[in-house]
């Protein structure tokens, strides 16, 4: 099903797919969000609910015997590799067909919670919040993020944006300073 085709435009006016990376230095969190189709509560449980769940295995089973097995190397370790750099992970998601926003949270100790995020505002898509370990704060640095995204995004067909903060020093004369 092609979600963006004119005859099947179920995404509405905002049918742009994109990924945005936001380093939140103040809160020691790396945020990765997309404007994809999002996930329902059941999707969060089925896709993120267990460390043993293998999206790659499921993909290969669906691909069938005629599939190109070399694709398996392009998927990486998977979602749970996030816990190599983060103490806790929160996944906010809103499915395109639902007004409901849910948040999946875990600290990788064998359990997770899913709650309604009623006060949270987002369009469709998913927002991954990695609460970084103290020794992994380098992942909030612009140069490191640019290098990682450049190295690992060659097969991503959607635009990836990196939010950066720039500071500028300016001299202020005494009259301006008083104002």
């Amino acid at each position: 099903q092609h979600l963006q085709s004119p005859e099947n435009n179920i995404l509405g006016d905002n049918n742009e797919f994109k990924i945005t990376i936001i380093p939140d230095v103040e809160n020691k969190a790396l945020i990765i969000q997309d404007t994809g189709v999002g996930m329902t509560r059941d999707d969060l449980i089925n896709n993120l609910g267990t460390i043993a769940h293998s999206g790659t295995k499921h993909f290969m089973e669906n691909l069938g015997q005629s599939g190109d097995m070399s694709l398996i190397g392009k998927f990486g370790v998977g979602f749970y590799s996030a816990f190599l750099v983060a103490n806790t992970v929160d996944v906010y998601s809103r499915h395109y067909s639902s007004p409901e926003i849910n948040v999946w949270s875990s600290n990788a100790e064998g359990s997770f919670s899913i709650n309604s995020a009623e006060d949270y505002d987002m369009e469709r898509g998913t927002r991954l919040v990695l609460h970084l370990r103290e020794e992994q704060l380098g992942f909030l640095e612009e140069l490191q993020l640019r290098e990682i995204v450049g190295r690992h995004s060659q097969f991503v067909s959607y635009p990836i944006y990196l939010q950066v903060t720039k500071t500028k020093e300016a001299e202020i004369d005494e009259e301006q300073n008083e104002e």
Side-chain angles (χ1 to χ4, degrees), residues 46-47 50-61 72 76-77:
N46 293 332
N47 294 324
T50 174
I51 294 175
H53 178 79
S54 172
T56 304
K57 179 181 177 189
H58 180 71
F59 173 81
M60 292 310 291
E61 287 170 354
I72 235 169
V77 176

Side-chain angles (χ1 to χ4, degrees), residues 91-117:
V91 180
Y92 295 82
S93 198
R94 179 178 177 191
H95 192 262
Y96 70 89
S97 67
S98 172
E100 183 177 67
I101 300 169
N102 291 293
V103 59
W104 177 98
S105 298
S106 180
N107 60 7
E109 291 181 5
S111 65
F112 64 90
S113 65
I114 296 180
N115 296 298
S116 177

Side-chain angles (χ1 to χ4, degrees), residues 78-143:
F79 173 75
Y80 279 86
S81 62
F83 291 103
L84 295 173
V85 298
N87 291 318
T88 59
V89 174
D90 298 321
V91 180
Y92 295 82
S93 198
R94 179 178 177 191
H95 192 262
Y96 70 89
S97 67
S98 172
E100 183 177 67
I101 300 169
N102 291 293
V103 59
W104 177 98
S105 298
S106 180
N107 60 7
E109 291 181 5
S111 65
F112 64 90
S113 65
I114 296 180
N115 296 298
S116 177
E118 294 173 7
D119 295 336
Y120 198 77
D121 184 33
M122 70 182 291
E123 290 187 52
R124 68 161 202 280
T126 301
R127 181 180 179 108
L128 175 70
V129 182
L130 304 170
H131 301 277
L132 296 177
R133 299 175 186 276
E134 202 63 40
E135 65 274 12
Q136 302 296 331
L137 296 179
F139 286 108
L140 299 175
E141 296 172 8
E142 180 183 349
L143 291 176

